[in-house]
Amino acid sequence: MEWGGGINLGDFMVAAAQYGGPLALTRDETKFTKTQHAGKPLIFIFSSSGRKISSFKWTSGFLLSLGWSRSEDLVCVQEDGAVSIYDMFGTYQHTFNMGQEVKDTHIQSAQIFTSHRETGVAILSKSNRIFMVSNIYEPKTRKYPDIPGGVVECWCVVREERHTNVLVSQGRDLLLLNHIEQRPQPLYPEWNEAGGCIVEMAVSTNSRHIALLSDTGKLWIGSSDIRIKYCEYDAKSQVKPKQLAW
């Protein structure tokens, strides 16, 4: 990469645009104490070969997640639910908020997703509720059905033609949420051996396929509606991976 050897990616939050688009990097504040790095962090934008395009100082709140829109705008999600948009040259575009409840309770995780037309943001609040904006350029926040009490192991967004679903793993339960139904719907993937909970999941780019990884090291691959199982693989490892991706 043209940026040389001075960047340790393990210390950075990294977001790569699709199809060889730009990369955004900023230091991961969770990896440092406040005394290690004083002042506001910088966000660097590079080409896919590592050539620097731009950089700018992040002057807003705690940055939780970075991602790219279909039009290669940088999407920055803050812990308080504010979402700011910049172009690849670091020029500010606009900001919207995920709602007062999110601002009050804060976010524990966020996902930036794209469809064939739009880019959206989904968040899991610290009160275990899912909120979603389907189009960041015309933001309208939707609240999804309440998740039952308990720890959310992992979750992901599954786009369909007319609406967008969310899959949530809680213990041994896999739940389907959408803004039409009032309650989460249980799903039952067919495992060779029963037991274990899903600790990671990833949806394919076209949202037709999904991979589920259990805490026993079993990898289940099938259709994103969980109705069809393609295969199951024993990874022979119970160590949770850093990432599961297509």
Side-chain angles (χ1 to χ4, degrees):
M1 301 292 280
E2 292 185 26
W3 61 48
I7 293 181
N8 179 8
L9 291 180
D11 294 334
F12 283 78
M13 188 186 303
V14 182
Q18 292 182 326
Y19 312 116
L23 305 170
L25 286 79
T26 188
R27 71 173 187 248
D28 188 343
E29 296 297 316
T30 63
K31 305 283 182 68
F32 301 95
T33 63
K34 290 184 178 180
T35 56
Q36 284 179 298
H37 287 279
K40 294 291 186 178
L42 291 172
I43 295 179
F44 299 93
I45 300 177
F46 297 92
S47 69
S48 57
S49 63
R51 179 179 56 83
K52 183 178 176 181
I53 298 174
S54 62
S55 65
F56 62 96
K57 183 178 291 187
W58 178 254
T59 58
S60 298
F62 184 82
L63 187 59
L64 189 73
S65 182
L66 288 176
W68 291 93
S69 72
R70 283 187 57 84
S71 56
E72 295 188 346
D73 284 333
L74 182 63
V75 184
C76 306
V77 184
Q78 296 178 198
E79 187 182 36
D80 64 358
V83 181
S84 298
I85 315 297
Y86 295 80
D87 67 17
M88 71 171 67
F89 303 104
T91 303
Y92 172 79
Q93 304 297 305
H94 71 276
T95 295
F96 65 88
N97 202 287
M98 298 295 291
Q100 187 62 44
E101 183 175 344
V102 176
K103 185 176 181 179
D104 293 340
T105 60
H106 284 193
I107 296 172
Q108 56 177 303
S109 59
Q111 295 189 18
I112 298 159
F113 60 93
T114 59
S115 66
H116 66 288
R117 292 181 180 177
E118 301 167 342
T119 301
V121 174
I123 66 94
L124 173 65
S125 73
K126 290 186 177 179
S127 58
N128 264 17
R129 290 177 172 173
I130 297 285
F131 295 83
M132 184 181 297
V133 166
S134 297
N135 183 355
I136 60 173
Y137 300 108
E138 297 177 3
K140 295 179 181 178
T141 304
R142 286 176 172 171
K143 178 183 173 182
Y144 277 56
D146 289 348
I147 303 170
V151 176
V152 173
E153 296 288 345
C154 59
W155 62 285
C156 68
V157 175
V158 181
R159 305 182 317 275
E160 293 190 357
E161 186 175 348
R162 296 187 178 181
H163 55 269
T164 304
N165 298 326
V166 177
L167 290 182
V168 174
S169 170
Q170 276 193 310
R172 296 186 179 182
D173 296 326
L174 181 63
L175 304 174
L176 172 69
L177 284 70
N178 62 50
H179 67 276
I180 300 174
E181 303 289 341
Q182 295 184 349
R183 297 179 181 179
Q185 306 298 311
L187 298 177
Y188 303 98
E190 180 186 348
W191 296 88
N192 292 340
E193 297 179 7
C197 74
I198 298 167
V199 294
E200 283 289 345
M201 60 177 78
V203 180
S204 64
T205 305
N206 61 11
S207 277
R208 296 178 181 175
H209 320 292
I210 193 169
L212 310 174
L213 181 67
S214 74
D215 59 355
T216 58
K218 303 297 192 301
L219 182 66
W220 187 99
I221 300 176
S223 60
S224 58
D225 59 7
I226 313 297
R227 294 178 181 176
I228 303 174
K229 174 182 175 180
Y230 306 153
C231 64
E232 186 175 326
Y233 174 74
D234 186 354
K236 295 183 172 59
S237 173
Q238 296 183 16
V239 178
K240 183 177 179 179
K242 289 185 177 181
Q243 185 181 27
L244 190 65
W246 287 79

